[in-house]
Amino acid sequence: MTTPGGHPYGGAQQPQGGHDQNRFNFPSAPSRPVPEQNPYQHQQYGQPQQPPYSQRPSQQPLRGSQPQAPKAHNPLVRPYAMTGGRTRPRYQLAIEALVSTTADPARLQGQLPEHQRICRLCQEIKSVAEISALLSIPLGVARILVADLAEAGLVAIHQPGGDESAGGQPDVTLLERVLSGLRKL
Amino acid sequence: MVAGGFGVGKTTFVGAVSEINPLRTEAVMTSASAGIDDLTHTGDKTTTTVAMDFGRITLDQDLILYLFGTPGQDRFWFMWDDLVRGAIGAVVLVDTRRLADCFPAVDYFENSGLPFVIALNGFDGHQPYTPEEVREALQIGPDAPIITTDARHRADAKSALITLVEHALMARLR
């Protein structure tokens, strides 16, 4: 997959959706929100911009502490708790879409811990896949969190180039650049 | 995309050319049989984790090639669908001792129209069958290249990628 310097778009712009909403809809995400069980979260309804970071009550305090990365086999945090139960990103992000932090570090104060971690990681450009892998966040969750950050104008997203008329496949110019690059390796 | 059966060397191939150690991303899905999307009991059988290894090659200042190894379990087609869009093509790694393992991948790419090459991964340096024998056995048309490779070696993996991109380019120009 290739990701050329594409079309960065910030939070102020409209999502690119509308063409085919299912393009990157990731069926790993359940199609309905996580049933809410944590009583601490009820007061948070209606604040989708600040998805609550819920943990089971016996865990660390709800806020103010660094979250632990979800463990592979026995996650302390339910995957979609970090997203406030949302299972669809606002943007349809490609798995190889590139993310770079545009926000001033001062702006990160007060952001959710996961958002801060992503912003710190993406000081150097990273793909959505790398964010998921390096921060141990499930892919579908990483997509939602990155979309949140893009909407808030804290990161820029470079969607991969592609020829829309050919189903998003790379165009000839891109293939030639890739070929040339591979030969030089 | 780098596809093929379980244990055929997908991650080895990715690692051979990637500039980073292969990373692993995981997706959480509800089990296909559940029919409802209930994550209430995360941790028991209602969810499945699908892992996918990938690597990265920076080709130019503004050009990064990502190599995604498809999930070993072929039933996770949704992840393949996710990868195909925007992909240049696929290297289907084949262990000729277990030829049937690559059938699902070949079928998938033939149906999706994504350009692919068949790379016979020679275990212990052996290539017991010629590419043409494999072509016949797999019933693959004359268009898709079939090459031999050693997934452990950078030069081999790079060569397989070049063959793939050349093939994809030809397919686009045709």
Side-chain angles (χ1 to χ4, degrees):
Chain A
M1 291 189 173
T2 50
T3 309
H7 319 284
Y9 60 86
Q13 293 182 16
Q14 292 299 313
Q16 294 187 339
H19 175 65
D20 177 357
Q21 290 297 341
N22 268 327
R23 271 167 43 191
F24 294 114
N25 257 357
F26 206 59
S28 65
S31 61
R32 286 192 300 171
V34 179
E36 191 50 71
Q37 291 206 321
N38 187 334
Y40 297 122
Q41 288 196 334
H42 286 288
Q43 64 201 47
Q44 312 253 3
Y45 277 138
Q47 297 183 16
Q49 292 297 328
Q50 297 220 328
Y53 184 83
S54 83
Q55 293 177 310
R56 293 181 181 158
S58 62
Q59 301 299 332
Q60 304 162 18
L62 194 61
R63 293 192 181 277
S65 60
Q66 190 68 16
Q68 296 179 3
K71 300 282 193 299
H73 297 295
N74 185 21
L76 294 175
V77 182
R78 294 171 198 153
Y80 288 90
M82 283 183 240
T83 68
R86 284 171 302 121
T87 57
R88 292 278 186 270
R90 295 183 181 90
Y91 300 111
Q92 298 304 315
L93 286 176
I95 188 172
E96 74 275 22
L98 295 175
V99 182
S100 59
T101 302
T102 52
D104 188 77
R107 275 193 70 196
L108 301 184
Q109 298 296 323
Q111 300 293 328
L112 288 169
E114 303 75 34
H115 286 157
Q116 292 190 27
R117 292 171 72 208
I118 292 172
C119 286
R120 281 196 295 272
L121 182 69
C122 296
Q123 297 292 341
E124 286 181 25
I125 199 160
K126 294 280 187 304
S127 63
V128 173
E130 285 168 291
I131 291 168
S132 163
L134 294 169
L135 298 182
S136 299
I137 302 172
L139 193 54
V141 176
R143 280 183 155 132
I144 294 172
L145 294 173
V146 168
D148 286 345
L149 288 167
E151 182 151 286
L154 299 176
V155 300
I157 293 172
H158 311 261
Q159 286 273 39
D163 186 347
E164 286 302 321
S165 66
Q169 303 304 345
D171 61 26
V172 168
T173 310
L174 182 55
L175 290 173
E176 284 170 342
R177 286 193 66 202
V178 170
L179 192 53
S180 158
L182 283 171
R183 284 179 172 145
K184 283 185 209 153
L185 281 183
Chain B
M1 294 172 69
V2 182
F6 182 78
V8 74
K10 297 186 292 288
T11 303
T12 303
F13 181 97
V14 169
V17 280
S18 173
E19 68 199 19
I20 56 172
N21 285 326
L23 294 170
R24 172 164 294 189
T25 179
E26 295 185 335
V28 181
M29 65 180 291
T30 53
S31 64
S33 59
I36 52 169
D37 300 312
D38 182 359
L39 289 179
T40 312
H41 302 102
T42 297
D44 67 21
K45 291 174 185 172
T46 59
T47 61
T48 308
T49 299
V50 191
M52 186 164 60
D53 294 334
F54 66 96
R56 184 183 72 193
I57 306 172
T58 301
L59 296 175
D60 204 343
Q61 275 192 328
D62 61 346
L63 188 62
I64 300 176
L65 179 68
Y66 282 93
L67 306 173
F68 286 96
T70 56
Q73 304 94 327
D74 297 325
R75 61 197 171 94
F76 295 123
W77 295 117
F78 69 89
M79 292 203 66
W80 296 50
D81 293 342
D82 199 36
L83 290 169
V84 159
R85 193 177 173 83
I88 289 174
V91 174
V92 180
L93 284 174
V94 174
D95 177 352
T96 49
R97 297 168 302 184
R98 294 178 292 145
L99 208 53
D101 287 4
C102 75
F103 288 172
V106 170
D107 283 346
Y108 181 88
F109 295 123
E110 281 183 337
N111 287 328
S112 68
L114 191 73
F116 66 96
V117 301
I118 303 283
L120 309 179
N121 191 16
F123 285 80
D124 302 322
H126 292 303
Q127 290 288 359
Y129 302 100
T130 67
E132 285 318 305
E133 286 173 319
V134 173
R135 185 184 301 281
E136 176 135 356
L138 289 177
Q139 295 281 297
I140 292 190
D143 289 344
I146 301 186
I147 58 174
T148 58
T149 192
D150 186 330
R152 297 168 299 182
H153 295 152
R154 176 181 162 86
D156 278 30
K158 178 186 149 185
S159 169
L161 292 177
I162 289 173
T163 303
L164 173 63
V165 180
E166 286 172 342
H167 175 55
L169 197 51
M170 290 302 292
R172 286 305 304 271
L173 293 172
R174 203 172 288 143

